[in-house]
Short mmCIF file of all heavy atoms in Angstrom, two decimals:
data_model
loop_
_atom_site.label_atom_id
_atom_site.label_comp_id
_atom_site.label_asym_id
_atom_site.label_seq_id
_atom_site.Cartn_x
_atom_site.Cartn_y
_atom_site.Cartn_z
N GLN A 308 21.31 12.16 -27.79
CA GLN A 308 20.40 13.30 -27.68
C GLN A 308 20.24 13.77 -26.26
O GLN A 308 20.22 14.97 -25.95
CB GLN A 308 19.03 12.95 -28.28
CG GLN A 308 19.05 12.84 -29.80
CD GLN A 308 17.75 12.29 -30.36
OE1 GLN A 308 16.99 11.62 -29.66
NE2 GLN A 308 17.50 12.53 -31.64
N LYS A 309 20.12 12.82 -25.33
CA LYS A 309 20.03 13.18 -23.92
C LYS A 309 21.27 13.95 -23.48
O LYS A 309 21.16 14.98 -22.80
CB LYS A 309 19.87 11.92 -23.07
CG LYS A 309 18.57 11.21 -23.25
CD LYS A 309 18.50 9.93 -22.43
CE LYS A 309 17.26 9.13 -22.74
NZ LYS A 309 17.21 7.86 -21.95
N GLN A 310 22.42 13.49 -23.86
CA GLN A 310 23.66 14.16 -23.51
C GLN A 310 23.75 15.54 -24.14
O GLN A 310 24.05 16.54 -23.47
CB GLN A 310 24.86 13.31 -23.94
CG GLN A 310 26.23 14.01 -23.84
CD GLN A 310 26.58 14.40 -22.43
OE1 GLN A 310 26.11 13.76 -21.45
NE2 GLN A 310 27.40 15.41 -22.26
N ARG A 311 23.40 15.63 -25.39
CA ARG A 311 23.56 16.91 -26.15
C ARG A 311 22.58 17.97 -25.66
O ARG A 311 22.98 19.15 -25.53
CB ARG A 311 23.38 16.63 -27.65
CG ARG A 311 23.53 17.86 -28.54
CD ARG A 311 23.97 17.47 -29.94
NE ARG A 311 23.04 16.55 -30.56
CZ ARG A 311 22.15 16.91 -31.52
NH1 ARG A 311 22.05 18.15 -31.90
NH2 ARG A 311 21.35 16.01 -32.05
N PHE A 312 21.35 17.57 -25.43
CA PHE A 312 20.33 18.59 -25.15
C PHE A 312 20.13 18.86 -23.67
O PHE A 312 19.70 19.93 -23.28
CB PHE A 312 19.00 18.20 -25.81
CG PHE A 312 19.07 18.15 -27.29
CD1 PHE A 312 18.76 17.00 -27.99
CD2 PHE A 312 19.43 19.27 -28.03
CE1 PHE A 312 18.82 16.93 -29.36
CE2 PHE A 312 19.50 19.23 -29.40
CZ PHE A 312 19.19 18.06 -30.08
N LEU A 313 20.43 17.90 -22.80
CA LEU A 313 20.21 18.09 -21.37
C LEU A 313 21.46 18.56 -20.63
O LEU A 313 21.35 19.08 -19.52
CB LEU A 313 19.66 16.80 -20.74
CG LEU A 313 18.31 16.35 -21.28
CD1 LEU A 313 17.88 15.05 -20.58
CD2 LEU A 313 17.24 17.43 -21.10
N SER A 314 22.64 18.40 -21.26
CA SER A 314 23.87 18.80 -20.58
C SER A 314 24.12 20.28 -20.63
O SER A 314 25.02 20.79 -19.95
CB SER A 314 25.06 18.05 -21.19
OG SER A 314 25.23 18.44 -22.55
N ILE A 315 23.33 21.01 -21.37
CA ILE A 315 23.56 22.47 -21.48
C ILE A 315 23.08 23.25 -20.26
O ILE A 315 23.39 24.40 -20.10
CB ILE A 315 22.88 23.06 -22.75
CG1 ILE A 315 21.34 23.01 -22.60
CG2 ILE A 315 23.34 22.33 -23.99
CD1 ILE A 315 20.62 23.76 -23.70
N PHE A 316 22.32 22.57 -19.40
CA PHE A 316 21.72 23.28 -18.27
C PHE A 316 22.70 23.28 -17.09
O PHE A 316 22.68 22.37 -16.25
CB PHE A 316 20.38 22.69 -17.91
CG PHE A 316 19.38 22.77 -19.04
CD1 PHE A 316 19.15 21.65 -19.84
CD2 PHE A 316 18.74 23.93 -19.33
CE1 PHE A 316 18.26 21.73 -20.88
CE2 PHE A 316 17.85 24.03 -20.40
CZ PHE A 316 17.61 22.92 -21.16
N THR A 317 23.55 24.26 -17.08
CA THR A 317 24.59 24.38 -16.07
C THR A 317 24.41 25.69 -15.30
O THR A 317 23.51 26.48 -15.61
CB THR A 317 25.98 24.35 -16.68
OG1 THR A 317 26.16 25.54 -17.47
CG2 THR A 317 26.14 23.12 -17.58
N LYS A 318 25.28 25.92 -14.36
CA LYS A 318 25.20 27.17 -13.58
C LYS A 318 25.85 28.34 -14.31
O LYS A 318 25.83 29.47 -13.83
CB LYS A 318 25.87 26.98 -12.21
CG LYS A 318 25.16 25.99 -11.32
CD LYS A 318 25.88 25.88 -9.95
CE LYS A 318 25.19 24.84 -9.07
NZ LYS A 318 25.85 24.75 -7.74
N ASP A 319 26.45 28.09 -15.47
CA ASP A 319 27.19 29.15 -16.14
C ASP A 319 26.27 30.32 -16.55
O ASP A 319 26.57 31.47 -16.37
CB ASP A 319 27.90 28.60 -17.39
CG ASP A 319 28.96 27.57 -17.01
OD1 ASP A 319 29.42 27.63 -15.85
OD2 ASP A 319 29.32 26.74 -17.85
#
Side-chain angles (χ1 to χ4, degrees):
Q308 288 171 339
K309 292 177 187 179
Q310 170 62 26
R311 181 154 57 103
F312 296 121
L313 298 180
S314 64
I315 68 171
F316 300 100
T317 67
K318 295 182 182 180
D319 296 338

